[in-house]
Amino acid sequence: MNKKIISVINQKGGVGKTTTVINLAAGISMQGKKILVIDLDPQGNATTGLGLSNTVNSEQTIYSVLNGNKKISEVVQTTQFENLDLITSNVDLSGLEIETAGDRRRAYILKDKLAAYLNDSEASYSYILIDCPPSLSLLTIMALVASDALVVPLQTEFFALEGLTQLMKTIERVKNNLNPDLTIRGILLTMYDRRNKLSGEVEREARNYFKEKVYQTVVPRNVRLSEAPSHGVPVLVYDKACLGSKSYFSFTDEFLSQDKLVESAA
Ligand SMILES: Nc1ncnc2c1ncn2[C@@H]1O[C@H](COP(=O)(O)OP(=O)(O)OP(=O)(O)O)[C@@H](O)[C@H]1O
Ligand SMILES: [Mg+2]
């Protein structure tokens, strides 16, 4: 499978990127496929949400890969979940932008490190999922350059679509200059509130504009989704019957079926 490095991206904060990474990773791993999550956000939310620490020293994190000290294979950690590995992050990662200022090829660092890793190692991940920070900074550009495809969570709130215009421009720029094969795999509507008319309006507008790029699955606003991270587990493990879990199980199936379609067409 060649489209396997996927970034979950939106420069808007708090739209459900990390929640999507954690639960898509959990859903895929539960189907017996191996998955690697890379936490590329100095906040380290994917790290703690999957039960690891974001306060240990940065030698074991993605930061030491991007600053040239370590290889990917040296920082991959197992989690308590079968088939689900993680490269952690912590706040030191926020220094990378300044520290690499003199490196003209710095946008390619993550891509090159991943390519070397996938070449050499026996790791047989079905997917590598990258959790991006809420900005269009160097870290996000690194993710865009390293990725085959993108999943964009879109919170069904006012201004949601306006934020997307800027993201789409950045994606186009990266496609034109740094990564011509980059594609948008899909847009996932999140935090949908059936009682709020606005949610329905944003959904209609998004489907109207982005057509079949918008996943059929819609993630509802569900308090269990916000409780799970404080227990260091995906909601699919914390409460597999809640509405939030149902939506992420359904999203996992929809995500995986995208590749089945491609494979059967080939
Ligand atoms: N569908 C949902 N229903 C209720 N709460 C949610 C839902 N999705 C995410 N949350 C909660 O909303 C907050 C933001 O979600 P999350 O951390 O996934 O967003 P993010 O886009 O990764 O944020 P950031 O931009 O800061 O990285 C978290 O507290 C999370 O637990
Ligand atoms: Mg996040």
Side-chain angles (χ1 to χ4, degrees), residues 47 85 168 191 196 198 216 244 250:
T47 299
D85 293 344
M168 294 303 158
M191 303 192 202
N196 185 341
L198 197 58
Q216 288 304 313
S250 152

Side-chain angles (χ1 to χ4, degrees), residues 12-20 41 43 45 131-134 190-191 219-223 225-227 229 248:
K12 200 156 182 282
V15 299
K17 292 181 289 295
T18 303
T19 304
T20 298
D41 183 350
Q43 296 179 103
N45 296 145
D131 188 22
C132 291
T190 63
M191 303 192 202
V219 179
R221 193 170 273 289
N222 177 247
V223 69
L225 281 170
S226 54
E227 290 167 5
Y248 274 108

Side-chain angles (χ1 to χ4, degrees), residues 50 57 61 65 69 102 111 118 121-122 136-137 140 153 162 181 197 207 212 216-217 219 224 246 264:
L50 287 166
N57 89 43
T61 70
V65 171
N69 285 344
K111 180 191 174 79
L118 292 173
S121 88
E122 317 221 308
L136 293 172
S137 63
T140 300
E162 273 152 63
D181 298 329
K197 233 175 77 186
R207 291 197 190 280
E212 70 288 350
Q216 288 304 313
T217 305
V219 179
R224 303 302 255 175
K246 285 193 176 134
S264 59

Side-chain angles (χ1 to χ4, degrees), residues 154-157 160-161 187 189 192-194 196-212 214-215 218:
L154 185 71
Q155 186 179 351
T156 46
E157 294 236 328
L161 287 158
I187 295 171
L189 301 176
Y192 192 92
D193 183 352
R194 271 188 305 133
N196 185 341
K197 233 175 77 186
L198 197 58
S199 278
E201 279 167 24
V202 173
E203 176 176 16
R204 262 192 304 283
E205 260 186 73
R207 291 197 190 280
N208 213 356
Y209 191 74
F210 293 104
K211 306 275 188 280
E212 70 288 350
V214 182
Y215 288 106
V218 172

